Amino acid sequence: MLPDLIGNLSTHLTWLSMGINQISGMIPRGIGQLYSLTNFIMIDNYLEGIIPDSIGKLKHLVRFAVQKNNLSGSIPNAIGNLTMLSELYLHTNKLEGSIPLSLKYCTRMQSFGVSDNNLSGDIPNRTFGNQEGLINLDLSNNSFTGSIPLEFGNLKHLSILYLYENKLSGEIPLQLGTCSALTELVLERNFFNGSIPSFLGSLRSLEILDLSNNNFSSTIPGELQNLSYLNTLDLSFNHLYGEIPIGGVFSNVTAISLIGNKDLCGGIPQLKLPACSKFPSKKLKGSFRKKLIIIIVIGVGGGFVTFIIFMSIYFFRKKSKTLSSSGSLENRYVKVSYGELHEATNGFSSSNLVGTGSFGSVYGGSLLHFARPIAVKVLNLEKGGASKSFTAECKALGKIKHRNLLNIVTCCSSIDYNGNDFKAIVFELMPNGSLESLLHNNEELGSRIFDLNPQHRINIALDVANALDYLHNGSEEPVVHCDIKPSNVLLDNDNVAHLGDFGLARLLNVVTGHSSRDRVSSSAIRGTIGYVPPEYGAGVHVSAKGDIYSYGILVLEMLTGKKPTDNMFGEGLSLHKFCENAIPDRIIEIVDSRLLVSSAEEGTRVMERTIGECLVSFARIGVACAAELPNQRMDIKDVIVELQAIKRKLP
């Protein structure tokens, strides 16, 4: 427990961090006596009771992080006294009540997260509108009502807005169109209505747009085609109608979800929807439009109606049920034959070979009906486990979609020209290679040599962490990857990292019980030597915590430039111990020399010191993730928070 005597600690104490322990009890009221405190971090513990009003005395507090506890009561009005506050993380507790109006005085706020609580009421006006430096706002999975405040239009730097799984209603306000920095806008599972506004097409930085499971009733704005960075668009389960655009994100069937909108037509051929009528239905409204639709449907005939019903039921089932075979995945995506893949890769020529893996080879190429270059992973079926790997990867990839996961185009199970079984998985080609090449074979990249500075490595680590968070916590059915390592992290043209190779992946069998997301039976050690968590060798079940261990080793490899199988490790010294022993004073002795070159080029001593502090924080994340005991490893959501803090601190 945290004793009330904590207030007797030195008033010069600036940092109090006891996250990821088993601390219980309440936050003592004496906390308010630590006047110099800038950081209070108690994430992932067993704290309960209320957040005391005395917290308002901490005038210098910059970061207050108490997510993943059992705190209850309301958010105290005293929070408004913390005018230096930059980060407030309260998510995954049992907080009730509404957002206090006093929060408007925290004008330096950059990140505010209260997801997964029991908060309710309207999102108050004139609260977040004062926080013009706000970057991340997460109010998801509560019971907020009312509409989106018009003042959100003041948030010029807002990058992430999560309002999903609430009871919000009304239309998307026009003012939101001024938030030009938005990269992720997720409004799913609310009661929003009206039209999908065309001004969303002006948000040029948008990467993820999810408006699913609402009551929108309109055509799909053609302006969304102009969003060149948009890679995930979910408009499913609304009341949309009319012609589907075909440009931009709409040209990639794997990047969009439109099911549950029965009156859509047109679009790319892969959607297999009926051609649109020549009637200008997008201009028809109200009962007249509905009557005309009924007349058209009746006129077309019973056979056509049967086709529509069949397709609606088919796609609905695809979303809600587990994939039973690789064949079902083939039907969902672009269909390709062996001959088409043979032609696309110049006969699987060695000149098209871009890599080899555990169960086969990867070839570069291009398909006529797919705009971007592809990578074809051809399974060597003579290798034991190759067929199971194919099934596992297709099944896993059929259920997941995220900007930091390798985007699947299709799976192909066929017969080659010699009458032999042929299995291949087709992905988008990642032109900038793998993290493995980035760290250890940079000379192979030729003119595409990367800048290996700290910012780049932090960005890659953050991309992979986001992918893991989605796999473990955000996908329809949680997935354990089982093989996190640098060669499975691939970089696109913009150097965004994508996690790939799901040949060993396991779908977690979710049943009743809090810990069910963390266990699945396994009959053998799964993964790559050096990255496999120690408990797998003892026969412990495959779990999400195992992925966290492998991720920790990957982070330490990025930090040091050394593989966990390096010859220097052995006889009691591991990559984990090597890094742990160097924190914090000897960190410069162990980091990749290319990081030191980058630091030196930055110039000033202050910058060098800041980068050094960030490298220490980066090392701590890797060491904490790769802890020997699973229950001591960091939660992936906390990893993301820490990495974002490092990213903001870097010059």
Side-chain angles (χ1 to χ4, degrees), residues 174-219:
L174 177 64
Q175 287 78 0
L176 206 62
T178 64
C179 299
S180 57
L182 268 178
T183 60
E184 299 183 27
L185 177 60
V186 183
L187 308 180
E188 68 169 314
R189 296 187 184 279
N190 279 285
F191 301 102
F192 292 115
N193 54 38
S195 301
I196 295 178
S198 59
F199 69 73
L200 293 177
S202 66
L203 301 177
R204 299 297 183 183
S205 299
L206 208 57
E207 299 174 5
I208 297 175
L209 177 60
D210 190 341
L211 307 180
S212 62
N213 290 276
N214 279 285
N215 294 316
F216 291 109
S217 178
S218 68
T219 57

Side-chain angles (χ1 to χ4, degrees), residues 503-519:
L504 298 178
R506 294 292 293 268
L507 298 173
L508 286 179
N509 192 12
V510 181
V511 295
T512 303
H514 179 72
S515 62
S516 61
R517 297 175 72 92
D518 297 327
R519 295 198 306 270

Side-chain angles (χ1 to χ4, degrees), residues 203-207 224-231 248-249 494:
L203 301 177
R204 299 297 183 183
S205 299
L206 208 57
E207 299 174 5
L224 297 181
Q225 300 176 97
N226 302 327
L227 298 175
S228 56
Y229 294 106
L230 188 62
N231 55 58
V249 68
D494 298 317

